[in-house]
Amino acid sequence: MEISKLINIQRLVLDDNHIERLPVNLGKLQSLKVMTLDGNRITSLPDELGQLVRLERLSILGNMLTCLPETIGSLRNLVLLNVSNNKLKSLPESIGSCYSLEELQANDNLIGELPASICNLIHLKSLCLNNNNIGQIPANLLKDCKALQNISLHNNPISMDQFQQMEGFEEFEARRRKKFDKQIDSNVMISSKGLNEGVDK
């Protein structure tokens, strides 16, 4: 509980410990911009998480989360959210209020569907949802998320045909190709897997 006195702390890195829960007064760390809790034993996050309004990067990879608090929608400055390798069955509707979000990683969970509000994330560039139970994605996702350049859906029930028939697919594909063409033009080394990411399963 004493951690709440560190009111000027901007980075909190607690990876690979045996942490099972976070103190409810975590919300007092009002200067926090980066928090990583990868590789712990956290099963839930306190609602007070939503008070960390300056948070830009939050990674809780490899824990035992079964849900995310609705208050996560208060994190309007969040740019990166990584909740991969947990036990999440869904993402909260409020995630659509994380307006600054550019990268959402939720690989290796049990997610069956995405909230329609995810279409509000107009700055979202990368959406990674490999190894889940997703059979379809919101109909307007590709049309509304105009910054989206990469979507990864390997090992999900959704079919490639379903994906390609979505409204906005052609524009999404053009952005995806432009991104990789730019990387190649810049002599950036990328793996062949990287070239395939985005559309193929």
Side-chain angles (χ1 to χ4, degrees), residues 5-133:
K5 294 179 180 177
L6 304 176
I7 56 173
N8 294 315
I9 195 170
Q10 293 189 10
R11 293 173 58 88
L12 184 60
V13 180
L14 297 167
D15 297 348
D16 302 316
N17 284 286
H18 299 284
I19 298 169
E20 295 181 0
R21 62 182 183 276
L22 299 173
V24 293
N25 61 0
L26 187 74
K28 293 186 176 170
L29 305 181
Q30 291 287 302
S31 300
L32 205 59
K33 291 183 177 179
V34 176
M35 182 163 66
T36 66
L37 300 157
D38 300 346
N40 281 286
R41 299 174 181 174
I42 299 167
T43 56
S44 64
L45 296 171
D47 288 342
E48 287 75 12
L49 178 75
Q51 296 171 15
L52 303 176
V53 293
R54 289 191 175 87
L55 203 60
E56 296 173 3
R57 302 174 71 85
L58 175 60
S59 184
I60 323 165
L61 167 78
N63 279 274
M64 295 185 280
L65 292 174
T66 55
C67 64
L68 296 174
E70 284 287 341
T71 55
I72 202 165
S74 299
L75 305 181
R76 303 291 167 86
N77 290 307
L78 199 64
V79 175
L80 166 71
L81 175 62
N82 188 344
V83 290
S84 293
N85 196 11
N86 279 281
K87 299 180 186 301
L88 297 172
K89 292 183 179 177
S90 64
L91 296 173
E93 189 72 31
S94 64
I95 202 156
S97 297
C98 297
Y99 298 123
S100 300
L101 203 60
E102 294 182 6
E103 183 174 350
L104 174 56
Q105 296 189 25
N107 301 312
D108 302 293
N109 278 284
L110 305 167
I111 298 169
E113 61 180 358
L114 298 174
S117 65
I118 206 163
C119 299
N120 297 338
L121 302 177
I122 58 172
H123 299 292
L124 192 66
K125 294 178 181 176
S126 180
L127 179 61
C128 297
L129 296 159
N130 298 325
N131 305 314
N132 280 284
N133 297 322

Side-chain angles (χ1 to χ4, degrees), residues 139-159:
N140 291 333
L141 181 72
L142 299 181
K143 181 168 71 84
D144 292 348
C145 296
K146 294 188 180 345
L148 197 61
Q149 299 172 336
N150 173 58
I151 182 166
S152 205
L153 291 161
H154 300 271
N155 298 323
N156 280 283
I158 190 171
S159 72

